[in-house]
Amino acid sequence: MKEKRKIGRGVCVVGAGMSRFGMFPDKDSKDLFIEAYNEMISSVDKGVNPDDIDALYLGNFSNDYFVHQAHWAPIIADAIGHTPKPATRTECACASSALAFKEGVFAIASGFYDVVLVGGMEEMSKCSTEEVTAGLASAAFPSELVAGLTFPGIFGVIASAYFSQYGCTKEDLFNITIKSHSNAVLNHKAQIPFTIRDIMNQKIERAMKKGTPVPHWKDEKEFLRDPKANPMVAYPMSLYDCCPISDGASCMLLVSEQMARQFTDNPLHVVGIGQGSGAGLQGSGPLTSLEATKQAASEAYKMSGFKPADIQFCEVHDCFSIAELIDMEDMGFFKPGEGYKAVDEGLTRRDGSMPINTSGGLKCKGHPVGATGIAQIYEVWEQLRGEAGERQIPNNDLRIGAVQNLGGTGGTSSVTILERR
Amino acid sequence: MQEKKPLSDISYNQFLNEEKLMGAKCKKCGAIFIPPRAICRKCHSRELEWVPMKGEGTLVAFTCIAIGPPFMIAEGYNRENPYCTGVIEMKEGPRICARIEGVNPGKPDSIKIGTPLTVKFLHRGEGEKSKTYLAFEPQ
Ligand SMILES: [Zn+2]
């Protein structure tokens, strides 16, 4: 086994775009991708000629199911005028576009291409909640599905094991939800740009207008404890522990390190890439950790030479509140069973020592499955370039950010580390 | 008697229909798997054999689901009538996902991790559409 992992030549991100995330009945996948693409083109400081893009890698989980159309790479390639150049789709459930990013990096590192467009998209909201639940479930293991498990159910199972092992409670998870919402309110592209307090006020106002009994909650936690406001989906996961159903797209322009300065004086270097696989709930490891994430993190740390303590902030895959804890621990930011205490102490807030999900996370920014991985990297792009506006992490020496993107029930996990030099 | 069926999910389900819970044991390293596998996850050996499971284990994690997949909704489960499903660690070692009967899914706090469980077979559907689901209930 080789100890060090290196890529053939350096790769940089020189442009990035992301559509608004939300439920858009009057926009399709092409419209959303073009929205992200247009922003990406104008984000390249010194400009890019689309003719110079050698190839497209596109992450998409299951538009085949959601809108009954497959083979999306050429459709998007055509929409942006990229044909006849190569276009490839990557599919690894919710990690589909982080792996499009990885394939793009490898394609440049190999020396074969110099300029690659990577992206992802998903169009989910045209299905009913039941249909989306069934579609997403197809990314789990058959032995999990036959037991009646759904995705919220699988993360409910993981939460029950975590609670029982470490003494964490649902009250601790509330802190994650409250934090995600308070970050998302500063993100104009987020699907739910409201604090929990905003949502409480909206519900009170609506009741007053309709003349129905006006609810009263002492504080955010009392609201989250109220089963009417926050109904159980799969114990102990309630509505506000779960990410929404979303439409959206994201993309990035990757170029070889030698060429990066032709595009911008402020490129981000791809210093760590890692990927892992896992056997789901019936694997042999502990239920409170995902072997795929540990593998992905280990690969990315080895390639970058960084340790968890070197990472200054991270976007982790919080499809459910409990996942944020498990992800942070598997990334090595906190010891097993200590993640929830770090959240309680405020360490993972935007002004904490280890900001997590400053974008609002999947929970509030939205989770258009195939777009998510690169949308997570997009937050790192904005933060490292000092372009995150009100969401900017208050640190004058922000140089190293990471992303962890999960697919299925831990079947796939991906880690990406970017550095501003 | 040596069981000759291939080590597959299809054979495993056929055994369930006969109310037999069968796993696979690696002849090389002794690891036991359920559902069965043709290749050992631990040592990569391809020499595995069927082994009957005692059908006893412990509840190690669970959830109570309000919004289930279509086949659970068809059984009458919904927000008002949730169902419990979980992960069981078998006496022989491996873990399996299965439905948990004989508990109160409406009161998840009453369900305790560590509860000893025994296997139960749930037969659903008629004729060609009949299917047996694995479940466990407190001993
Ligand atoms: Zn073996």
Side-chain angles (χ1 to χ4, degrees), chain A residues 147-148 160 233 235 281-283 285, chain B residues 35 62-64 66 79 83 85 95 97:
Chain A
S160 79
V233 175
Y235 172 88
L281 294 180
Q282 285 183 207
Chain B
F62 71 96
T63 181
C64 298
R79 278 196 181 283
Y83 60 93
T85 177
R95 289 201 300 248
C97 298

Side-chain angles (χ1 to χ4, degrees), chain B residues 70-90:
Chain B
F71 73 94
M72 293 303 287
I73 295 172
E75 281 195 33
Y77 294 104
N78 53 41
R79 278 196 181 283
E80 284 70 43
N81 182 29
Y83 60 93
C84 181
T85 177
V87 180
I88 299 94
E89 191 169 290
M90 307 295 295

Side-chain angles (χ1 to χ4, degrees), chain A residues 241-362:
Chain A
D241 291 296
C242 308
C243 63
I245 292 167
S246 318
D247 307 319
S250 56
C251 68
M252 288 191 157
L253 191 67
L254 304 177
V255 303
S256 70
E257 203 171 82
Q258 296 101 302
M259 296 174 69
R261 302 272 158 182
Q262 294 173 29
F263 295 90
T264 174
D265 291 328
N266 202 4
L268 299 184
H269 297 256
V270 183
V271 293
I273 289 271
Q275 186 182 344
S277 66
L281 294 180
Q282 285 183 207
S284 27
L287 288 170
T288 51
S289 166
L290 296 171
E291 57 182 334
T293 303
K294 291 191 144 182
Q295 168 71 19
S298 147
E299 280 191 6
Y301 288 137
K302 259 184 207 164
M303 174 177 151
S304 64
F306 292 138
K307 301 180 296 297
D310 298 320
I311 308 298
Q312 293 171 302
F313 66 103
C314 189
E315 289 284 303
V316 302
H317 195 92
D318 61 323
C319 45
F320 299 93
S321 55
I322 183 68
E324 183 160 321
L325 291 182
I326 307 265
D327 298 338
M328 296 192 307
E329 295 176 10
D330 286 339
M331 286 294 289
F333 302 146
F334 305 104
K335 290 194 189 106
E338 304 271 308
Y340 76 94
K341 295 175 192 161
V343 175
D344 291 355
E345 289 164 22
L347 305 186
T348 62
R349 290 198 324 224
R350 205 161 38 85
D351 57 357
S353 56
M354 186 60 199
I356 298 289
N357 290 344
T358 50
S359 66
L362 280 53

Side-chain angles (χ1 to χ4, degrees), chain A residues 145-203:
Chain A
L145 296 178
V146 76
L149 283 163
T150 55
F151 261 83
I154 286 162
F155 283 89
V157 162
I158 291 173
S160 79
Y162 189 94
F163 287 5
S164 136
Q165 191 167 341
Y166 297 124
C168 170
T169 67
K170 222 171 137 56
E171 297 280 313
D172 297 305
L173 298 185
F174 291 162
N175 292 325
I176 298 175
T177 300
I178 293 168
K179 171 191 70 76
S180 300
H181 279 270
S182 59
N183 284 336
V185 80
L186 305 173
N187 185 350
H188 69 280
K189 288 185 178 171
Q191 182 165 1
I192 313 174
F194 306 112
T195 62
I196 292 291
R197 175 64 68 180
D198 293 337
I199 293 167
M200 290 158 65
N201 291 339
Q202 289 164 9
K203 287 193 190 265

Side-chain angles (χ1 to χ4, degrees), chain B residues 25-31 33 39-48:
Chain B
K25 184 175 180 178
C26 175
K27 288 186 186 174
K28 206 168 150 202
C29 77
F33 302 98
I39 299 171
C40 178
R41 186 191 279 143
K42 262 175 99 178
C43 76
H44 305 297
S45 155
R46 285 163 290 148
E47 299 286 313
L48 291 95

Side-chain angles (χ1 to χ4, degrees), chain A residues 13 15-16 40 101 116-118 250-254 374 377-378 381:
Chain A
V13 185
M40 181 283 290
F101 184 94
V116 169
L117 176 65
V118 295
S250 56
C251 68
M252 288 191 157
L253 191 67
L254 304 177
I374 288 177
I377 304 174
Y378 178 85
W381 158 268

